[in-house]
Amino acid sequence: MDKRKCIAGIFSTIAFMTAFSSAAQSDGGSSNSLHPVAAWMLALILAVSLLLVAVWLLKVKTKQILFDNRKKQERNERERFEQYMRGMDSRQIEAILTYKRRLDALKEKEEKKPSSTLPVVLTMMAILSGSSLFAQAVEKKSPGFSGEAGMLITIFLILIPILAGISLMVVKVINVIRQYRNEQSLKEAEKLARYLNELSTEELEPALLKRKAALDFKLSNTELSGNMKAEDDKGIINVSANSGLPVVALKKRAQKRPNIDPALSKLILWYIGSATFWLLFGSSVGEYLGIKFVAPDADHVSWLSFGRLRPVHTNSVFWGWASLGMLGLGYYIVPRVSNTPLASIKNGWYALHLINASVAIGTVSLMAGVNNGGGEFREYIWPIMLLFGIGLTLSLINFLQTIARRKTKEIYISNWYMTSAIIFALVISVAAYVPLWQDGLGETIIQGYYMHQGVGMWFMFFTLGIVYYFLPQQLNKPIYSYSLGILAFWTQILFYTLIGTHHFVFSSIPWWLQTVAIVGSAGMIIPVVAGTANFLLTFNGAWYKIAGSYTLPFFLVGIIFYFTGSMQGTAEAFRSTNLIWHFTDFTVAHSHLTMYGIICFFLWAGIYAVIPRLTGKEAPQITVGAHFWLALIGLLFYTIPLMYGGTLKGLMWMDGKPFMESVILMAPYWLWRAIGGSFMWLSHLFFAYNIYKMLSANGIADIREAAVEKLKTRTEAVAE
């Protein structure tokens, strides 16, 4: 009956599409082509119809597969149970033997038939838990748009609730399959427990004791001598009977680090989770801004105007994503390298709440049009930034107290970088927000100082400290040179603090101050080359490990962009190049090449390295790969066209061409910007999914563990 209804629905849809097409063609007069709106609607209806047919076929196929598997399991039940028994570990065998002996002793006193309602209860819970997953997405009709861009936006808005509904449907199907698998596993465990219970102790005990002895066997260092049979009667070789064909090359799994304070683990995971939220939010705003370059008439709401959303994008990814991600990794690193517990878990939570509150309140404030108006990256008004500053102060005190209690003589270089970064962030915030020198040229000079020190002495400094810890850890070898790290540390402090004014070359700022900034920019070659050489030489002799790791590629890309992006910044500082590139899209490409290519890739590498050590769970390697390649390709699609187009725009200005010609010139490069930004945004969805997989349970019961628990329940029921 369902099949006939589905076929009838398909034919009805096709008939409707035919009628719709005929009407659209007749409406066009003498034209034989479809109207653009009709063509889009026709394609939309066809896509939805095909998706519905695919979902129906998936449902039928799933039922058939589950039915075949159930039949196959029933035929090979005894063989399957024996395989489960062969795959049990020593603890499970010991538990089964204990319960069997207790049952035998109890049965001698009184015969009772144990019963278990656990599968029924779990089945009812599974049915009830899946009853409210579907929520109909209400499709809002948007007013008509004129012109091609308006029609595209209309189609896009129509697709949003449809795609949301399809996504919910997919989630529903996945949950149903997972619940079914869990239910089948519990039923299988019930059968295994019943099978073990029905076997007599005389039949069961010899085989299990033999297996337990094999599992508990320890080498005596004489195995290579004497005549031994080619049999694995010692349980040394473990071969998985359920290993499938991998889709991607298998990577090395992280080792769960023991003795991690659960309270500290929870704090770190909340920092990373909050950072992930702000990354999704901020990059979604950036994605919408990229669309506005292609379709400027997407909306006419003041809260969503480009001038208000642009600082929402930059501040949420700066202070929300990058800052919280760095601090979360810092809360892991500082106690590890100090070999002592964190000074105060409570202060860590206070800092997390304050920073989240500042970004949330700041976002609403910027969208409402309430801002500082003092320049880029300090759009938050001072009370909002004060919350962020208090959070940083609490983290700094926490780190310094932990380092002061260290059980090692030396202070590892990671702590040098991270604590100094927080100190610099507080200093530049005070300099930028205390209203004592922000007048006239002082405002411009302070803005250059604040903006550039925020990037180089807060984000870059802190993430370099993260790399100095996690890169040697992932390579399982020490950093190449501690001295190179110290050289890079002090020279970056010396030169980077001078270069803020190179953003205002050819301005009314004193010429000597501009020259000092240019010299400082050239001096940055020293710390960048020292740091890059230190990291790459650490890879020396271990390059082969990249192929077997999913964290090292992120580190390697970050190191490459650290060198190229920093050298690009030095090249931009000279007056001859500044004359071409300043005020063009080249600077937009440069900022993303550094903040995204360096900071984000280093943070992702650290996060992928630390979470499995805290939770013992790995992200799916295929989605980690999707995250890596989408982010890298998207960044290249974003930056290379903007650098090329920005160079052409600057040359046109120098030739005296009309400004409007340069705007028209940039249209195709802005399209590439939107495409690259879309790839980057999509990679963030994969990243969030990976975080979810590393934090959540799989929801499928282990058959052997469940069988042991059921046997325990039976024993306790008989004892009562």
Side-chain angles (χ1 to χ4, degrees):
M1 186 64 184
D2 293 338
K3 192 172 183 179
R4 290 197 297 269
K5 285 183 178 179
C6 184
I7 293 173
I10 293 172
F11 279 111
S12 299
T13 304
I14 294 174
F16 173 76
M17 290 162 53
T18 305
F20 185 83
S21 173
S22 301
Q25 288 179 348
S26 62
D27 186 61
S30 60
S31 175
N32 293 324
S33 61
L34 286 174
H35 190 274
V37 176
W40 276 102
M41 293 301 295
L42 184 61
L44 179 63
I45 295 170
L46 178 59
V48 173
S49 302
L50 292 176
L51 282 172
L52 292 176
V53 172
V55 170
W56 175 76
L57 292 175
L58 176 63
K59 178 181 178 183
V60 173
K61 189 66 175 177
T62 303
K63 286 185 176 180
Q64 183 64 36
I65 292 173
L66 296 176
F67 178 77
D68 293 341
N69 288 340
R70 185 163 58 250
K71 289 296 183 183
K72 184 178 179 181
Q73 288 176 356
E74 291 174 357
R75 289 196 303 269
N76 304 322
E77 189 173 86
R78 185 176 180 84
E79 293 181 6
R80 195 168 65 257
F81 291 158
E82 292 178 354
Q83 183 180 356
Y84 288 142
M85 292 170 60
R86 288 194 297 269
M88 289 181 176
D89 57 29
S90 180
R91 181 187 59 79
Q92 293 170 340
I93 293 173
E94 181 67 30
I96 289 174
L97 290 175
T98 301
Y99 298 142
K100 285 291 293 182
R101 289 164 183 161
R102 287 184 60 191
L103 279 173
D104 290 343
L106 291 169
K107 284 180 179 178
E108 291 178 0
K109 297 180 180 179
E110 184 179 358
E111 288 291 331
K112 290 187 178 181
K113 295 182 178 180
S115 62
S116 174
T117 59
L118 182 60
V120 178
V121 174
L122 289 174
T123 303
M124 293 301 295
M125 291 174 62
I127 294 173
L128 291 175
S129 65
S131 60
S132 60
L133 285 177
F134 267 125
Q136 292 287 343
V138 180
E139 181 178 351
K140 296 182 179 179
K141 295 182 179 180
S142 61
F145 291 91
S146 61
E148 185 178 352
M151 288 188 291
L152 291 176
I153 297 301
T154 304
I155 297 299
F156 179 76
L157 294 175
I158 293 173
L159 280 174
I160 290 176
I162 295 175
L163 294 176
I166 293 173
S167 300
L168 289 174
M169 185 185 303
V170 172
V171 172
K172 176 69 175 179
V173 171
I174 292 173
N175 285 336
V176 169
I177 293 175
R178 183 184 293 115
Q179 291 167 7
Y180 179 82
R181 288 179 57 194
N182 189 62
E183 182 182 344
Q184 291 302 112
S185 297
L186 293 173
K187 288 181 179 179
E188 187 78 357
E190 175 68 23
K191 293 178 182 179
L192 178 58
R194 192 184 309 117
Y195 174 76
L196 294 172
N197 186 54
E198 292 173 355
L199 286 177
S200 64
T201 307
E202 292 77 12
E203 294 177 297
L204 185 63
E205 194 170 64
L208 291 181
L209 285 175
K210 182 179 179 181
R211 178 61 181 168
K212 185 176 185 301
L215 291 171
D216 294 340
F217 175 79
K218 294 183 179 179
L219 296 175
S220 60
N221 299 323
T222 61
E223 283 70 24
L224 295 179
S225 62
N227 298 322
M228 299 183 66
K229 296 181 180 180
E231 295 180 358
D232 184 30
D233 57 347
K234 299 299 187 290
I236 299 173
I237 301 175
N238 295 315
V239 179
S240 175
N242 299 319
S243 59
L245 183 65
V247 179
V248 295
L250 296 179
K251 306 294 184 180
K252 183 180 178 181
R253 299 175 67 86
Q255 297 295 325
K256 189 175 187 300
R257 183 184 175 95
N259 303 324
I260 294 290
D261 184 3
L264 179 61
S265 297
K266 183 179 180 181
L267 175 66
I268 294 169
L269 293 176
W270 268 96
Y271 267 92
I272 294 175
S274 301
T276 304
F277 168 79
W278 289 116
L279 173 65
L280 286 178
F281 173 79
S283 58
S284 297
V285 174
E287 168 72 5
Y288 186 63
L289 292 174
I291 293 174
K292 281 198 167 190
F293 274 91
V294 183
D297 59 345
D299 70 77
H300 302 283
V301 181
S302 61
W303 281 49
L304 302 180
S305 62
F306 188 93
R308 296 189 185 183
L309 284 185
R310 202 269 177 175
V312 169
H313 163 64
T314 55
N315 284 275
S316 58
V317 295
F318 268 43
W319 313 126
W321 149 241
S323 298
L324 286 175
M326 293 187 311
L327 288 172
L329 295 175
Y331 274 105
Y332 177 85
I333 295 171
V334 171
R336 296 284 77 74
V337 298
S338 302
N339 197 23
T340 188
L342 184 70
S344 174
I345 299 289
K346 184 181 295 185
N347 283 343
W349 283 107
Y350 287 153
L352 174 65
H353 297 325
L354 286 169
I355 294 174
N356 273 319
S358 68
V359 181
I361 298 172
T363 298
V364 177
S365 172
L366 291 177
M367 294 180 70
V370 179
N371 58 75
N372 184 49
E376 197 171 22
F377 310 142
R378 57 169 173 160
E379 290 90 354
Y380 289 168
I381 58 176
W382 71 264
I384 296 174
M385 203 60 187
L386 180 62
L387 297 177
F388 186 88
I390 296 174
L392 283 189
T393 303
L394 291 175
S395 296
L396 176 62
I397 294 172
N398 218 351
F399 288 175
L400 291 177
Q401 288 178 344
T402 304
I403 295 170
R405 301 173 186 176
R406 69 188 184 280
K407 298 178 182 178
T408 56
K409 181 180 179 181
E410 299 84 3
I411 299 178
Y412 186 62
I413 191 170
S414 291
N415 287 346
W416 285 51
Y417 274 92
M418 292 187 296
T419 53
S420 299
I422 299 178
I423 293 172
F424 271 104
L426 293 173
V427 169
I428 64 175
S429 297
V430 171
Y433 277 89
V434 174
L436 296 180
W437 36 73
Q438 287 90 348
D439 57 339
L441 289 179
E443 170 77 14
T444 304
I445 296 171
I446 289 297
Q447 170 58 28
Y449 171 77
Y450 170 81
M451 175 177 59
H452 227 79
Q453 305 318 301
V455 173
M457 302 307 295
W458 167 230
F459 296 110
M460 192 69 70
F461 230 40
F462 205 109
T463 51
L464 288 175
I466 292 172
V467 177
Y468 272 104
Y469 175 80
F470 278 112
L471 182 62
Q473 181 207 69
Q474 294 298 296
L475 289 172
N476 196 24
K477 58 181 300 190
I479 197 72
Y480 174 76
S481 172
Y482 201 89
S483 299
L484 276 178
I486 298 301
L487 172 66
F489 176 84
W490 288 113
T491 51
Q492 181 156 338
I493 291 177
L494 173 63
F495 291 114
Y496 210 105
T497 51
L498 304 175
I499 66 177
T501 316
H502 77 196
H503 284 270
F504 306 106
V505 176
F506 299 114
S507 68
S508 53
I509 291 175
W511 194 262
W512 67 267
L513 189 56
Q514 301 177 30
T515 304
V516 168
I518 296 172
V519 172
S521 301
M524 276 300 296
I525 296 175
I526 299 174
V528 171
V529 171
T532 304
N534 208 4
F535 297 148
L536 293 180
L537 289 172
T538 304
F539 272 100
N540 193 28
W543 291 101
Y544 67 93
K545 294 184 178 181
I546 296 176
S549 171
Y550 57 80
T551 58
L552 292 177
F554 284 95
F555 278 118
L556 183 59
V557 169
I559 293 168
I560 293 172
F561 281 123
Y562 172 56
F563 179 78
T564 56
S566 300
M567 291 298 96
Q568 186 187 72
T570 298
E572 285 183 83
F574 295 103
R575 289 188 173 92
S576 57
T577 53
N578 198 282
L579 190 64
I580 301 173
W581 289 328
H582 197 44
F583 295 120
T584 70
D585 292 79
F586 192 98
T587 57
V588 179
H590 169 67
S591 64
H592 284 78
L593 201 68
T594 52
M595 279 301 298
Y596 195 88
I598 305 173
I599 308 303
C600 288
F601 273 85
F602 280 158
L603 285 180
W604 288 328
I607 289 171
Y608 281 133
V610 75
I611 294 184
R613 289 176 167 263
L614 300 178
T615 65
K617 299 172 186 175
E618 302 276 347
Q621 293 180 3
I622 190 169
T623 52
V624 175
H627 169 210
F628 174 82
W629 288 111
L630 283 171
L632 178 58
I633 295 172
L635 179 61
L636 296 177
F637 281 7
Y638 189 105
T639 55
I640 294 176
L642 287 187
M643 288 188 288
Y644 182 75
T647 303
L648 294 179
K649 178 192 283 188
L651 293 174
M652 289 181 66
W653 290 350
M654 293 179 67
D655 290 341
K657 298 292 180 64
F659 177 78
M660 200 61 202
E661 286 189 18
S662 66
V663 175
I664 298 173
L665 168 76
M666 288 302 298
Y669 305 109
W670 286 337
L671 178 60
W672 276 107
R673 168 184 178 152
I675 295 172
S678 299
F679 279 16
M680 294 154 70
W681 176 72
L682 185 59
S683 76
H684 303 163
L685 299 182
F686 279 104
F687 171 65
Y689 174 77
N690 294 333
I691 295 293
Y692 165 76
K693 294 297 289 185
M694 288 188 287
L695 297 181
S696 64
N698 57 19
I700 304 299
D702 183 85
I703 295 175
R704 299 179 184 87
E705 285 291 336
V708 173
E709 289 297 322
K710 290 178 182 295
L711 199 58
K712 177 183 177 182
T713 304
R714 288 177 182 271
T715 305
E716 293 174 350
V718 173
E720 293 176 357

